Amino acid sequence: MSVPLTIAGLLAELQVHVESIDIANDLHSVGGLVPVIKYLRNSNARIRAKAADVVTTVVQNNPTSQQLVMEASGFEPLLSNFISDPDLTARIKALGALSSLIRNNKPGVAAFRLANGYAGLRDALSSESARFQRKALNLTHYLLSESHSDCSVFAQLGFPRVMMTLVSSNDSGVREAALGGLLELARDTTLGNRSLLADQDRLRRLLWRRIQSIRMMAPEDLDAAREERQLVDSLWIACYHEPSTLQQEGLLVLPGEESFEQPPDVAGRFFEPLRRQSVGRAPPDERSEPVSGTVGGMMMLLGPAPGNSLSN
């Protein structure tokens, strides 16, 4: 077995163990966190991707480990891999780790903003990977919802134009996430963003095409598109101050569906993996007592990261 495959396998095993929040928080004290972060710079793309998976699990809903990773300079290689890694999977995994690292972490969000992470998100939206686009849209929606003062920054960086393009995506998840992001911008209280959206004939045409597509859906597809139907109508109201024709034609709330006053938390569904409250993590009373040189019974075989890295 080659060394890269061995290291990737060890990282995969480590990821299982750090699902316990206690073991995740102990990883740094037993000397395991720094090697994992160093593997983010490894010359092998599979190792970089798997190291990002480990970081994602370690920091997810875990303020203690978020701080430890930030202090161990884990943010920088994750951002670098997200923006410029030549391997798409490694970029996607790095974005997932960044999303978990900066969520509910003000210093992390500030670092992401200062490092021009928003421009990286915009570029990710222009990729050909629907998975990459969904992850970028999810983080964009979170940042918009957490700090409406940043709406103008996102607008200046051209996010509305890119998200309008994604409204016509063949991927339903991308379409819904793009509609959710546009809705956040449209609801911004600053006049500039509202005008930017409402005065765009292009947006009106795009929404109208989505309405036309919804009209032509088979019953089972129409039912599955409930979130998209509601988002289209909510965005139409926010921009043009009147209900869409979906309401008039009875396509907004189908027979058997509950009526609603507020649009669904569409982005929340996409963010669910990030919002898990320690799902899969062992509670404190089930913690495996680490022995010397082990984490959760697994020998810390990672050791110091090798020198064959992208950067030192």
Side-chain angles (χ1 to χ4, degrees):
M1 182 180 294
S2 66
V3 173
L5 290 177
T6 302
I7 296 173
L10 288 171
L11 288 168
E13 185 177 354
L14 178 61
Q15 184 182 3
V16 174
H17 285 270
V18 295
E19 287 180 357
S20 163
I21 194 169
D22 294 299
I23 294 177
N25 290 339
D26 283 344
L27 187 62
H28 180 63
S29 62
V30 300
L33 181 59
V34 171
V36 169
I37 291 174
K38 288 183 178 179
Y39 279 124
L40 292 169
R41 303 182 186 274
N42 192 272
S43 61
N44 184 280
R46 182 174 178 182
I47 291 176
R48 296 195 300 274
K50 184 51 64 177
D53 278 340
V54 175
V55 174
T56 299
T57 304
V58 166
V59 301
Q60 188 167 281
N61 300 309
N62 188 345
T64 298
S65 284
Q66 285 177 335
Q67 181 177 351
L68 289 172
V69 169
M70 295 292 291
E71 292 175 350
S73 300
F75 174 84
E76 290 79 5
L78 285 174
L79 184 72
S80 175
N81 291 359
F82 159 51
I83 292 176
S84 60
D85 198 296
D87 182 80
L88 179 59
T89 298
R91 291 186 70 190
I92 294 172
K93 297 289 188 177
L95 176 55
L98 279 172
S99 298
S100 294
L101 178 61
I102 71 176
R103 181 171 174 77
N104 298 318
N105 175 6
K106 291 183 178 179
V109 171
F112 188 77
R113 184 186 298 113
L114 290 173
N116 207 22
Y118 292 1
L121 288 175
R122 180 198 57 202
D123 294 341
L125 295 182
S126 300
S127 77
E128 296 182 359
S129 167
R131 185 183 178 196
F132 202 19
Q133 290 170 344
R134 286 194 300 270
K135 284 185 175 292
L137 284 166
N138 295 341
L139 182 53
T140 298
H141 190 284
Y142 169 73
L143 294 169
L144 286 171
S145 62
E146 287 295 303
S147 178
H148 283 281
S149 62
D150 282 351
C151 284
S152 59
V153 177
F154 279 97
Q156 292 168 8
L157 287 172
F159 275 78
R161 177 183 56 80
V162 179
M163 287 192 287
M164 285 181 205
T165 299
L166 296 179
V167 167
S168 300
S169 170
N170 292 327
D171 185 278
S172 61
V174 171
R175 289 198 307 271
E176 292 169 4
L179 288 166
L182 288 170
L183 184 58
E184 285 290 340
L185 287 172
R187 286 176 169 170
D188 180 39
T189 55
T190 62
L191 180 61
N193 283 339
R194 185 174 297 274
S195 297
L196 179 66
L197 289 170
D199 293 341
Q200 287 281 350
D201 289 338
R202 181 188 177 200
L203 178 61
R204 184 187 291 269
R205 291 195 302 269
L206 288 170
L207 291 177
W208 181 249
R209 288 173 190 162
R210 292 314 311 156
I211 292 173
Q212 294 286 77
S213 297
I214 290 170
R215 284 173 176 164
M216 298 174 63
M217 286 181 178
E220 60 272 18
D221 295 330
L222 195 61
D223 181 66
R226 181 183 184 187
E227 290 160 349
E228 182 177 357
R229 288 184 275 122
Q230 295 177 357
L231 280 166
V232 167
D233 184 71
S234 297
L235 184 54
W236 191 281
I237 292 173
C239 291
Y240 309 117
H241 312 294
E242 62 180 11
S244 73
T245 56
L246 291 176
Q247 289 195 33
Q248 303 167 11
E249 298 174 12
L251 295 174
L252 185 59
V253 181
L254 302 179
E257 291 181 349
E258 295 182 1
S259 184
F260 65 96
E261 295 182 358
Q262 297 294 331
D265 184 13
V266 175
R269 177 168 67 83
F270 292 110
F271 270 118
E272 191 59 33
L274 303 181
R275 288 180 171 172
R276 290 183 304 155
Q277 294 300 317
S278 301
V279 171
R281 296 188 186 275
D285 58 347
E286 295 179 7
R287 174 183 175 182
S288 300
E289 288 293 334
V291 296
S292 177
T294 71
V295 173
M298 184 187 72
M299 292 297 296
M300 287 302 298
L301 299 178
L302 297 178
N308 57 333
S309 59
L310 293 177
S311 61
N312 293 323

